[in-house]
Amino acid sequence: LCGDRAIVLEAVREDCRLLEYASEELRGDRDIVLEAVRANGRALEFASEELRRDRDIVLEAVRANGQALQLACEELRWDRDIVLAAVRQNGEALEYACEELRRDRGIVLEAVRADALALEFASEDLRQDSDLVLEASLADGRALQFACEELRRDRDIVVEAVRENGRALEYACE
């Protein structure tokens, strides 16, 4: 029954995680996998290798759950549109982007807007960007911990971070 397309499609509509129990053939069925990843991008884990390399499938998966970026093939972690969709849905998906895109200010800015703590996964250069660090610290003072040492000494940035969250003081440098 795990190879019966109608049964698996109905099961996946009810609970996308049930894709795990589908036959290998049906894990490679585009319609079934699309149904599953639209409900929860993490279902990408159970898709065939071929579909995990399919740009459209991965894009749908990261739109539903940005963390699905970690399940995509390496090549698609270099795809700006896919990474942008992932970090807009979940800023911490930046962790799974290629290094080049972790240096892309636009991508990192979107990640930080979705989750200020995504600053942790930005390139070292961007963690030295005072405007970016300030924006992250205004959203969540704890983001200060991921700034470079120089900015953790910057009075204006530290004041704003502490205003947002008093615990940010523990990340300030003397």
Side-chain angles (χ1 to χ4, degrees), residues 112-132:
V112 165
R113 286 179 175 158
D115 182 345
L117 299 180
L119 185 62
E120 174 182 8
F121 306 111
S123 67
E124 192 172 319
D125 288 349
L126 290 178
R127 287 185 279 134
Q128 296 174 25
D129 180 319
S130 60
D131 293 333
L132 187 63

Side-chain angles (χ1 to χ4, degrees), residues 8 38 67 77 87 112 124 133 136 142-143 150 162:
V8 170
R38 283 180 177 148
Q67 292 288 332
R77 293 182 196 196
V87 300
V112 165
E124 192 172 319
V133 170
R142 297 171 303 157
E150 177 184 342
V162 169

Side-chain angles (χ1 to χ4, degrees), residues 11 18 26 33 37 44 49 85 90-91 109 111 120 147 149 164 166-167:
L18 295 175
L26 293 180
V33 171
V37 299
L44 186 62
E49 279 300 315
N90 182 325
L109 186 57
E120 174 182 8
E149 189 173 328
E164 196 292 314
R167 296 203 51 101

Side-chain angles (χ1 to χ4, degrees), residues 75-126:
E75 176 185 332
L76 293 178
R77 293 182 196 196
W78 284 78
D79 185 306
R80 190 175 200 287
D81 293 334
I82 288 177
V83 171
L84 194 53
V87 300
R88 282 180 173 154
Q89 198 286 323
N90 182 325
E92 291 194 3
L94 184 61
E95 176 180 7
Y96 307 108
C98 69
E99 191 60 39
E100 179 180 319
L101 293 178
R102 290 165 46 159
R103 288 191 298 267
D104 181 308
R105 191 175 196 288
I107 296 259
V108 172
L109 186 57
E110 289 294 326
V112 165
R113 286 179 175 158
D115 182 345
L117 299 180
L119 185 62
E120 174 182 8
F121 306 111
S123 67
E124 192 172 319
D125 288 349
L126 290 178

